[in-house]
Amino acid sequence: MKIKIKKFYYGDIPGDEAGESIASPTITNDKAWPLWEIFIRSKQGLDHKHAGSLHAADAAMAIENARDVYTRRQEGISIWAVESKNIHASNPDDAESFYEPASDKIYRHPGFYQLPDEIKHM
Amino acid sequence: MNPLIQFTLFLADSNLILSQKNAEWCGHGPILEQDIAITNITLDLLGQARYFYQYAAELMNQAGHTHITEDSLAYLRTEREFKNLLLCEQPNGDWAQTVLRQFFYSVYQQSLYQQILQQSNSQLSAIAEKSLKEITYHIKWSSEWVVRLGDGTPLSHHKMLQAIKALWPYTGEFFTPTDFEKEIIPIDYEKLKMQWIDSVQNVLEEAGLPMPQNIFMHTGGKLGSHTEHLGYILAEMQYLQRTYPNAQW
Amino acid sequence: MAIHDLENAFQQKIDNEIKIEPKDWMPDAYRKTNTRQISQHAHSEIVGMLPEGNWITRAPSLKRKAILIAKVQDEAGHGLYLYSAAETLGSSREQMIDELHSGKAKYSSIFNYPTLTWADMGAIGWLVDGAAILNQVMLCRTSYGPYARANVRICKEESFHQRQGFESLLVLSKGTKEQKEMCQDAINRWWWPSLMMFGPKDSESTNSDQSIKWKIKRKTNDELRRQFVNMIAEQVKLLGMTLPDPDLKYNNQTGQYDFGEINWDEFWNVVKGNGPCNEQRLQARRKAHEEGAWVREAAVAYAEKKQSRQPNEKTDAA
């Protein structure tokens, strides 16, 4: 029998080629823990940086989970946790009107100004 | 055997056996984040056990034994030689029993290690000092789970009650010193007990769980009289070292 | 903008190596393909914990035990990063896990093989993680931003996995007769399944290569597999062991190793659920999830109670 093989990739096995095993009922009615965004300060003097997300039942647990998940290799010394639903983000459709107007304001950058060579550092 | 060695082995064995039990959760936790959390505790306990074994090995080699290592102590002693607390070898049961076992043990460990810190044995106190930082987190994590489950749903409350019933009889051993404990360092067992009762009472109260009264307490772990569970734990843990004697891994 | 223009603009971004981020417009098929691939990758990490987790309680030294625990724990972390990346595409973790448990979603077939001896821990680290790393290094440059970032984090952590596996085998290869046999036996059993991890041959492909066009994947199965064979065929010499392929030999003309034909019937059988451990692996995952349900519910119930008792409690960020 010639098996018809479709192209697929590591970790990407198409459902139609992969035999379905017998489905068993799983419990889906339990309330999932909310998603949190985790920000980590890697050392004193640096900003908190987005590290990733995780699930936790409340804020205290989110911070502890972040400690256990994201600082196992001494990646941080301070953790912020924000419930993902509380993050407000700009819309990519606004990108042109938001960010492009800044592109011609070159006078905001120090390189715009020509100074005599005698002034070495300014 | 010299009481200091016995005491050090008691500390090592208790950590190793509890670590071995907690390790069974790795890959089977109730949610990924907590799978990772309990595995961190497992690794901490294993690390503490190794420091104590290494120190015990050093003492034993100085006392005339030969070729004692952390691994020979962990893998080549028998059920009757292991000195771990009975609590540590109790089955994982469900998540309630596991977090309660951790909580009881960590609170005891904290008080005990704080006293070891005051002792003149610089090796033991150095290990205690390092461990205490980890233990502080273990208490935070486990006590929060005790409260969460005690004060969560009726089902989780019920499971905590069962866990208390199952584990409480193994806590009396904490405060019943053996000869080797009495001989080495002056540990104030009354203080240890008071601190433990106090901390546990606070957390159980917050969790809405009752503090058991007048329960019969089992002892014997420190002297090598264990429950039947330990034999199976060691059989599994030691099998490769026993099957292939003198092999390096 | 018309769909056609959106698609063009999207492809242009990909062509210009601009990453796609969660809120950007993307074709449905791109979202679907990424969701499927990322969640399968996540499931592979989580199911992958089981064959190795097996041996934690039996590890033959305290050092090996600590290493193995840390490694299996890393896999949990990697699964978590990947589920998070997939969640940015709109599927909840709960949904993805349900699909795994119902048998609808797949995971890497390699984890349906049993771990029979301690040497399997070394062989998995060296071969299975070795193969996975090649994929993951490539995926650090995948076009979907969150997936690329998850892989960067994974690769950083995973670098010790292959090393510890090889080192563990190295010790066995210098050990007793039984240890050497154990080592060779593990290599024999894990070699072919590792090659299968890269998927079918490129020539068997019957449909267009959309994933390459979208830069979800940046190398073909055969390219990666060849890279892997070339690497392992050299390393195995250091172990003084052999790979179980009589056709494996260095080709002076191509400067690469030629190797024998993979047993694709076996491959598809395992994918379809007939591997030695498919049923056990899924059962273990379902059991953990089902037995954890009351724990997760209790945590939510408690969080809600606490919230209603102290509505304004929080620590200021600083």
Side-chain angles (χ1 to χ4, degrees), chain A residues 18-21, chain C residues 106 112 268-279:
Chain A
E20 306 281 303
S21 73
Chain C
K106 295 295 158 193
N112 289 321
W268 284 110
N269 245 322
V270 180
V271 170
K272 284 176 201 295
N274 300 322
C277 299
N278 292 56
E279 206 42 52

Side-chain angles (χ1 to χ4, degrees), chain A residues 3-14 17-19, chain C residues 106-113 192-201 204 221 225 261-276 278:
Chain A
I3 302 171
K4 181 172 164 275
I5 298 173
K6 276 192 193 170
K7 182 99 169 169
F8 75 96
Y9 300 105
Y10 172 70
D12 183 28
I13 300 163
E17 285 288 338
Chain C
K106 295 295 158 193
Y107 54 87
S108 185
S109 286
I110 192 91
F111 302 116
N112 289 321
Y113 289 88
W192 290 107
S194 304
L195 290 190
M196 293 177 196
M197 283 176 74
F198 297 96
K201 286 197 282 195
E204 301 287 338
N221 299 351
R225 184 162 26 234
E261 189 60 33
I262 290 167
N263 180 348
W264 293 111
D265 288 344
E266 176 186 326
F267 174 78
W268 284 110
N269 245 322
V270 180
V271 170
K272 284 176 201 295
N274 300 322
N278 292 56

Side-chain angles (χ1 to χ4, degrees), chain B residues 139-171:
Chain B
I139 293 177
K140 184 174 167 61
W141 180 85
S142 60
S143 65
E144 283 172 4
W145 267 112
V146 170
V147 172
R148 206 174 271 136
L149 296 182
D151 192 18
T153 60
L155 177 62
S156 69
H157 182 81
H158 173 71
K159 285 178 184 282
M160 279 310 299
L161 290 177
Q162 284 181 317
I164 293 173
K165 188 160 175 275
L167 297 178
W168 192 265
Y170 299 104
T171 57

Side-chain angles (χ1 to χ4, degrees), chain A residues 9-76:
Chain A
Y9 300 105
Y10 172 70
D12 183 28
I13 300 163
D16 55 341
E17 285 288 338
E20 306 281 303
S21 73
I22 304 150
S24 76
T26 48
I27 302 169
T28 50
N29 56 354
D30 61 317
K31 257 194 220 169
W33 292 358
L35 190 67
W36 300 75
E37 299 303 321
I38 302 302
F39 299 83
I40 294 194
R41 186 201 294 286
S42 60
K43 62 178 196 182
Q44 293 292 108
L46 296 183
D47 289 325
H48 285 76
K49 195 178 157 210
H50 187 233
S53 47
L54 49 73
H55 290 266
D58 55 41
M61 197 206 271
I63 290 174
E64 288 170 31
N65 287 352
R67 177 262 187 196
D68 284 319
V69 172
Y70 289 108
T71 68
R72 300 200 303 287
R73 289 176 171 80
Q74 299 177 293
E75 292 96 335

Side-chain angles (χ1 to χ4, degrees), chain B residues 20 27 30 32-33 36 39-40 71 75 95 147 151-152 156 159 236-237 239-241 244 248-249, chain C residues 46 55 57-62 64-65 69 72-73 93 171 179 182 285 294-296 298 302 305 309:
Chain B
Q20 177 81 358
L32 265 181
E33 284 80 354
I36 293 170
T39 305
N40 273 340
D71 285 332
Y75 287 91
W95 190 249
V147 172
D151 192 18
S156 69
K159 285 178 184 282
E236 186 173 353
M237 186 174 81
Y239 115 87
L240 276 168
Q241 288 271 356
Y244 304 101
Q248 299 298 308
W249 302 93
Chain C
I46 300 309
W55 280 88
T57 53
R58 291 178 288 174
S61 74
L62 297 181
R64 293 285 171 207
K65 190 188 288 287
I69 294 172
V72 178
Q73 186 198 37
R93 190 199 292 180
V171 172
Q179 285 177 308
M182 195 188 274
R285 286 313 313 160
W294 70 269
V295 178
R296 298 191 296 275
Y302 175 73
K305 279 189 206 175
R309 284 177 206 147

